[in-house]
């Protein structure tokens, strides 16, 4: 049955009133819109690899009108950071040489290689952890969401874009191989008021397609059997945001006296550690950061756990792979704990960690290891006589 519509009544308005209404309507700008971007995927479809993480913005390239807002919804440990051309990027880590690290000791009471020798304390960068700039961005100053709080509620981050242009932004915690040059990034293109831009439905469809395309590629990457010989790879990642949080291969079989080289995937946007030992010894090291008070009325510091990022063994700064080569027999440091220096693809002064590291096995056994940065990312070395 067709819907019955009431008859329209014709209202006679004076010609002057009609003209005024038309003029006001034409002069009124379109209402400002708010578009949404996800830092990390809004959802991952069924059939994705079990240990897949997508370190990307969805939708990566967004177009809005001048005056519109963009709201970022956090889906991981990310920042939304706009850096004008020529401005320095906020440092992800601050180095405080006035506070040498002391008191980090193993189960035998001996200091780890980095402790008690004047090695500086590392903190999350104040300009990376906290919000910078105001509530709008026009390309003139660094503006950033800061990192999600270690405790408490993660708040969305919203910016208004008053000026036409194209603005690139990055995630400081997933910077790529040249700091913020080629890692996790996105763009906001701002067109003049009234110009045609994609609808919110178009943006959602583009984000879904972006996720689906990355998942299809990740399925192929996940089938890799790993490198040949005495090598293990942390991930099989690409700089488009695909991060596979597993070791390839998961199990490596070797003989006593052989040395295994561990490496990080060349497209990785993450750190990875290789940490051996029983569960009770590894568990306390999984805390990556400590909150250190800094006096009344002052924001606390967030200290980086040095055992996570610099390991338990001596290593030479700037060496790739890290040297000297330590040995493992399952009884190191009395409780069997051994953590190699964390691996990173970024070879800058702010990130001296190597891309590769090695470990020699001197006793038969089956030795489990994990990445402390990504709980559940595990592997095993089976050592035969």
């Amino acid at each position: 049955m067709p819907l019955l519509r009431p008859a329209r009544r014709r209202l006679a308005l004076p010609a002057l009133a009609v003209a005024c209404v038309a003029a006001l309507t034409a002069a009124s700008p379109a209402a400002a819109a708010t578009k949404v971007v996800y830092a990390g995927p809004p959802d991952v479809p069924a059939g994705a690899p079990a240990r897949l993480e997508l370190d990307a913005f969805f939708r990566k390239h967004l177009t809005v009108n001048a005056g519109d807002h963009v709201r970022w919804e956090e889906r991981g440990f990310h920042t939304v950071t706009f850096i004008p051309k020529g401005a320095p990027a906020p440092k992800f880590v601050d180095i405080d040489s006035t506070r040498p690290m002391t008191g980090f000791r193993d189960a035998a009471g001996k200091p780890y290689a980095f402790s008690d020798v004047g090695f500086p304390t590392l903190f999350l960068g104040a300009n990376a952890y906290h919000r910078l700039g105001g509530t709008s961005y026009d390309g003139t100053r660094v503006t950033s969401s800061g990192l999600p709080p270690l405790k408490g509620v993660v708040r969305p981050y919203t910016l208004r874009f008053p000026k036409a242009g194209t603005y690139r932004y990055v995630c400081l915690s997933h910077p790529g191989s040249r700091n913020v040059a080629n890692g996790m990034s996105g763009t906001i293109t701002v067109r003049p008021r009234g110009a045609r831009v994609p609808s919110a439905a178009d943006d959602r469809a583009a984000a879904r397609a972006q996720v689906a395309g990355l998942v299809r590629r990740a399925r192929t990457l996940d089938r890799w059997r790993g490198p040949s010989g005495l090598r293990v790879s942390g991930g099989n990642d690409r700089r488009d945001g695909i991060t596979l949080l597993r070791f390839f291969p998961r199990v490596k079989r070797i003989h006593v006296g052989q040395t295994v080289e561990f490496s990080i995937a060349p497209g990785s946007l993450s750190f990875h550690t290789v940490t051996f030992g029983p569960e009770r010894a590894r568990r306390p090291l999984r805390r990556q950061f400590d909150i250190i008070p800094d006096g009344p009325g002052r924001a606390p510091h967030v200290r980086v756990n040095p055992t996570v990022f610099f390991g338990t063994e001596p290593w030479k700064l700037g060496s790739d792979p890290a040297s000297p080569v330590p040995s493992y027999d399952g009884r190191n440091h009395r409780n069997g704990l051994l953590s190699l220096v964390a691996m990173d693809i970024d070879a800058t002064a702010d990130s001296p960690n190597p891309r590769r590291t090695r470990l020699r096995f001197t006793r038969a056994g089956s030795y489990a290891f994990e990445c402390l940065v990504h709980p559940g990312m595990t592997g095993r070395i089976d050592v035969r006589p």
Side-chain angles (χ1 to χ4, degrees):
M1 180 177 179
L3 180 66
L4 297 177
R5 300 171 183 259
R8 293 181 179 177
R9 295 181 58 192
R10 296 177 63 86
L11 299 178
L13 294 176
L16 181 59
V18 172
C20 290
V21 171
L24 288 172
T25 302
S28 299
T34 297
K35 289 194 169 188
V36 177
V37 175
Y38 292 90
D43 52 62
V44 177
R51 298 291 300 166
L52 173 65
E53 181 179 280
L54 297 179
D55 295 317
F57 295 105
F58 301 89
R59 140 179 229 186
K60 181 174 182 176
H61 303 295
L62 188 75
T63 302
V64 301
N65 290 119
D68 285 351
H69 294 78
V70 178
R71 185 176 76 245
W72 283 267
E73 299 283 351
E74 187 65 69
R75 294 293 187 271
F77 195 62
H78 305 300
T79 75
V80 174
T81 305
F82 289 84
I83 306 169
K85 187 176 180 180
K91 290 186 177 181
F92 188 70
V93 171
D94 288 335
I95 300 174
D96 188 349
S97 58
T98 68
R99 304 188 191 193
M101 286 186 287
T102 60
F104 291 87
R105 299 178 180 273
D106 65 11
K110 295 182 179 180
Y112 290 127
F114 62 82
S115 184
D116 302 353
V117 293
F119 201 91
T121 297
L122 306 182
F123 295 99
L124 278 183
N127 287 339
Y129 187 61
H130 299 293
R131 294 195 172 187
L132 299 175
T135 57
S136 66
Y137 185 71
D138 62 3
T140 59
R141 61 176 175 171
V142 174
T143 303
S144 179
S145 65
L147 288 162
L150 300 182
K151 296 181 180 180
V153 178
V154 178
R155 296 175 296 159
Y157 180 60
T158 301
L159 286 178
R160 179 177 176 269
F161 291 86
K163 181 180 175 182
T166 297
Y167 306 107
R168 181 176 181 267
Y169 63 97
V170 299
C171 170
L172 295 175
S173 60
H174 296 91
S177 62
R178 294 186 300 277
N179 204 8
V180 295
N182 62 353
M184 180 175 169
S185 65
T187 60
I188 303 297
T189 297
V190 183
R191 302 190 66 190
R193 294 176 185 269
R196 183 180 294 275
V197 300
S199 67
D202 293 334
D203 294 329
R204 287 192 295 270
R208 287 194 298 269
Q210 185 183 344
V211 171
L214 293 176
V215 168
R216 284 194 299 271
R217 191 175 185 193
R219 292 193 191 106
T220 300
L221 296 172
D222 194 52
R223 291 194 288 267
W224 186 43
R225 295 184 179 182
S228 60
L230 299 174
R231 296 184 295 164
V232 174
S233 175
N236 185 25
D237 308 339
R238 297 296 182 269
R239 289 181 189 149
D240 53 11
I242 295 173
T243 301
L244 291 166
L245 297 177
R246 71 184 188 91
F247 291 99
F248 294 83
R250 192 182 67 83
V251 178
K252 175 67 71 174
R253 294 178 176 85
I254 67 170
H255 292 283
V256 170
Q258 291 185 313
T259 297
V260 176
E261 180 181 278
F262 299 90
S263 63
I264 192 167
S268 180
L269 301 182
S270 299
F271 275 91
H272 292 310
T273 79
V274 175
T275 305
F276 289 86
E279 167 67 18
R280 65 181 179 276
R282 287 183 275 134
R283 188 184 307 119
L285 298 188
R286 292 178 186 142
R287 187 180 69 248
Q288 298 178 46
F289 306 106
D290 296 307
I291 298 177
I292 308 298
D294 195 32
R298 301 181 65 179
H301 293 289
V302 181
R303 184 178 65 188
V304 177
N305 185 337
T307 313
V308 173
F309 291 93
F310 298 113
T312 60
E313 309 307 300
W315 59 282
K316 184 179 179 181
L317 188 69
S319 62
D320 193 13
S323 61
V325 179
S327 296
Y328 188 70
D329 63 4
R331 298 171 291 191
N332 299 57
H333 299 286
R334 183 178 286 179
N335 60 354
L337 178 69
L338 183 146
S339 191
L340 299 173
V341 57
M343 300 177 295
D344 182 23
I345 63 169
D346 187 4
T348 67
D350 291 333
S351 183
N353 295 63
R355 296 179 177 88
R356 298 172 291 161
T357 190
R358 296 173 293 183
L359 185 62
R360 183 172 180 263
F361 293 84
T362 59
R363 183 168 174 259
S366 184
Y367 304 112
F369 64 93
E370 69 169 297
C371 172
L372 296 173
V373 184
H374 302 101
M377 183 175 175
T378 60
R380 192 176 78 239
I381 303 296
D382 288 340
V383 185
R384 300 170 179 175

